[in-house]
Amino acid sequence: MIIGIDDTDSRRGGCTTYLCAVLVDELKKYGEISTPRLVRLNPCIPFKTRGNGAVSFEIRIANGKEEKEVKEVVKARVSELSELSEEETNPGVVFIDNDTLTAISRGEKENNSDEILRNFYENAVREVLRLADAYELISNLHLDYFGLKTKRGIIGALAAASFSLLQKNKPDYYDFTYELMSYRRKERWGMLRLIDEASVWKADAATYPLTWDTVDWSEKKIVFAPHSPCPVLFGIRGDSVDAIYKAYELIDAEPEERKMLFITNQGTDFHLIRFEGEVAKEKLQDYHSYILAGEVESNPRTIEGGHVLFSVSLSEEETSVECIAYEPTKGFRDVIRKLRAGDEITVYGSLKKGTLNLEKIEVRKLNNVVERNPRCDKCGRTMKSAGRFQGYRCKRCGTFKAEKDKVIVDRGIETGLYEVPPVARRHIAKPLIRMRMEEADKEIHPSR
Ligand code: ATP
């Protein structure tokens, strides 16, 4: 049976991954449990608490135990550990029973159940869904579920359960990474986290780039521990389980209550919808994230608050989109400020109120030609305009040139991919250092 869970926490406390870790430990006596999954869903959803995360895991029920008993434990823990007094907490749980799993894997279930679940997961990461969409699928596939209050968490729970099922059948179908979460003892929740910073830098140095986003070198900050009152002590992210555990062993911190390794879609850029070629503006919607190719239309300008704004034309039809690098993206703004009208770029980011909030940028071709008044071949001085459309003349020597000189300038920036630093990175955004492994054809300039 696969179990998906979401929306149990609030800004004041709790964490759905913690609830998952507690359940996985508790349910071991009922059967063998898979590595749990942590999926990050659409990062633009307004009612998310933090990173729009949802969890799932599979349990192979042991002989003599029943699915019914496991479901009761899950419902009891979700009811007990959810932050129910918070308006925005609306827990949801979805169960994909063993019979259903078998029927789906044998292709006996409703036509293309696999594809329906895949679409649901993908839409939960890229689109804005309604609770009714989740109920429709649950009813079509005859799934069991449980929810509290508005039960909105069912959307995320079904998406997380779908991810588990898809990965179980085709482990490499989706790009994935790992995160090892360490949880605090209850008596320390809400107190300052005791973590020896030097040990974190050491752990990072010993395992980067197989682990990433533990620290931010440019900002000289440790970024792997939250500052909220939630039970998470820290999380180590990476591509290698061995490297993650090696880093973990090197970290010196307050004693933990428990830890749990998750397989996740973090660091994969799965939220981005890629448009090939020209794009009509009507196709772009708020609360969606895109990869868009175009040409810088206006030189970047810094506005109040230190945010940097410029526009990109997306097609011949004068379609353009405003792009913004917010102040928290720190040094990334220095790259953006170096762009110039005419540069060919690809922008990566989320659309909010019609403006694309940048996460990454690829500079494909620099407009490094500047037109200047020509120089006189005799005396070397700059020639002056001889009037509109009448060329240029040297006042001293009387020499004439019809056109401006084209000069190649050094732009102080290279072509290739640039990214926001770890302090400003979304959970689901792919660090450029991961692209080195996959997209060898692209030049990358990791923030570190
Ligand atoms: P976490 O704190 O665990 O990192 P989160 O707490 O930020 O994640 P939730 O509290 O789970 O986010 O709230 C997100 C809510 O949005 C959940 O109820 C979930 O079901 C719902 N949701 C997730 N993705 C979508 C989507 N694409 N469309 C509509 N609703 C969604």
Side-chain angles (χ1 to χ4, degrees), residues 50 59 92 157 184 212 289 325 344 377 434 444 446:
R50 285 178 293 263
I59 175 163
R184 317 183 72 188
W212 29 262
S289 308
E344 290 174 29
D377 290 337
R434 290 202 69 230
I444 57 165

Side-chain angles (χ1 to χ4, degrees), residues 106-387:
R106 285 200 192 133
E108 289 164 8
K109 197 73 188 159
E110 264 71 12
N111 288 338
N112 54 19
S113 305
D114 239 16
E115 197 181 320
I116 295 170
L117 290 168
R118 188 169 68 230
N119 283 340
F120 189 86
Y121 162 67
E122 295 186 1
N123 286 338
V125 182
R126 295 176 177 164
E127 306 285 334
V128 180
L129 296 171
R130 297 163 312 144
L131 194 46
D133 298 322
Y135 280 133
E136 192 186 326
L137 210 161
I138 284 172
S139 149
N140 288 347
L141 298 183
H142 311 292
L143 305 181
D144 193 5
Y145 70 95
F146 166 75
L148 294 164
K149 294 166 65 187
T150 74
K151 306 185 176 66
R152 191 173 55 209
I154 283 177
I155 299 173
L158 181 56
S162 304
F163 183 78
S164 261
L165 183 133
L166 296 160
Q167 265 214 333
K168 169 183 154 75
N169 295 339
K170 292 182 190 155
D172 293 326
Y173 188 78
Y174 293 115
D175 182 19
F176 66 91
T177 64
Y178 300 92
E179 179 162 1
L180 178 65
M181 304 274 239
S182 166
Y183 299 100
R184 317 183 72 188
R185 294 189 176 170
K186 202 161 190 172
E187 64 270 18
R188 294 204 51 84
W189 291 5
M191 292 167 81
L192 195 71
R193 287 170 173 79
L194 298 177
I195 302 173
D196 173 34
E197 297 212 351
S199 74
V200 182
W201 289 95
K202 212 165 123 187
D204 168 82
T207 55
Y208 178 86
L210 290 174
T211 66
W212 29 262
D213 288 4
T214 306
V215 297
D216 186 317
W217 272 78
S218 51
E219 292 303 307
K220 306 267 176 298
K221 275 199 177 129
I222 283 172
V223 293
F224 83 147
H227 297 285
S228 60
C230 76
V232 176
L233 179 57
F234 58 75
I236 306 172
R237 298 176 186 176
D239 282 271
S240 148
V241 175
D242 287 347
I244 287 176
Y245 277 102
K246 182 173 173 189
Y248 173 81
E249 292 301 333
L250 290 168
I251 288 163
D252 195 6
E254 64 182 54
E256 68 189 10
E257 181 196 273
R258 70 183 79 221
K259 61 177 175 298
M260 182 86 7
L261 180 77
F262 290 87
I263 289 179
T264 118
N265 66 353
Q266 291 175 162
T268 63
D269 268 353
F270 198 67
H271 61 311
L272 298 170
I273 302 167
R274 184 185 283 274
F275 273 100
E276 300 292 348
E278 297 193 349
V279 183
K281 186 118 187 217
E282 314 81 76
K283 291 237 166 114
L284 303 180
Q285 293 171 274
D286 268 355
Y287 303 121
H288 290 65
S289 308
Y290 297 107
I291 303 178
L292 304 168
E295 194 176 294
V296 177
E297 196 175 52
S298 65
N299 287 346
R301 58 189 198 283
T302 303
I303 58 169
E304 211 185 317
H307 319 303
V308 183
L309 203 66
F310 66 100
S311 68
V312 171
S313 81
L314 301 174
S315 71
E316 302 279 301
E317 322 252 297
E318 293 180 14
T319 297
S320 64
V321 65
E322 287 277 293
C323 298
I324 192 161
Y326 278 108
E327 189 282 331
T329 64
K330 303 293 176 192
F332 178 65
R333 294 170 304 159
D334 298 336
V335 174
I336 301 300
R337 284 194 191 98
K338 286 182 184 153
L339 295 174
R340 232 185 83 191
D343 287 342
E344 290 174 29
I345 61 170
T346 302
V347 286
Y348 297 59
S350 298
L351 202 67
K352 276 201 187 149
K353 296 191 184 147
T355 300
L356 199 81
N357 299 358
L358 292 175
E359 295 171 9
K360 276 192 196 74
I361 178 171
E362 183 184 0
V363 180
R364 288 181 284 111
K365 192 166 173 218
L366 285 164
N367 171 20
N368 57 3
V369 177
V370 173
E371 291 200 339
R372 287 195 187 138
N373 282 10
R375 286 187 183 277
C376 170
D377 290 337
K378 270 192 184 167
C379 68
R381 290 178 187 222
T382 304
M383 298 165 93
K384 297 270 182 304
S385 167

Side-chain angles (χ1 to χ4, degrees), residues 6-10 14-17 38 40-42 45 47-54 88-91 123-131 151-157 159 427:
D6 193 18
D7 209 342
T8 66
D9 58 1
S10 76
C15 174
T16 305
T17 72
L38 163 58
R40 297 291 174 177
L41 305 173
N42 187 340
I45 289 295
F47 30 78
K48 67 178 184 177
T49 314
R50 285 178 293 263
N52 201 4
E88 287 298 296
T89 303
N90 294 289
N123 286 338
V125 182
R126 295 176 177 164
E127 306 285 334
V128 180
L129 296 171
R130 297 163 312 144
L131 194 46
K151 306 185 176 66
R152 191 173 55 209
I154 283 177
I155 299 173
H427 303 273

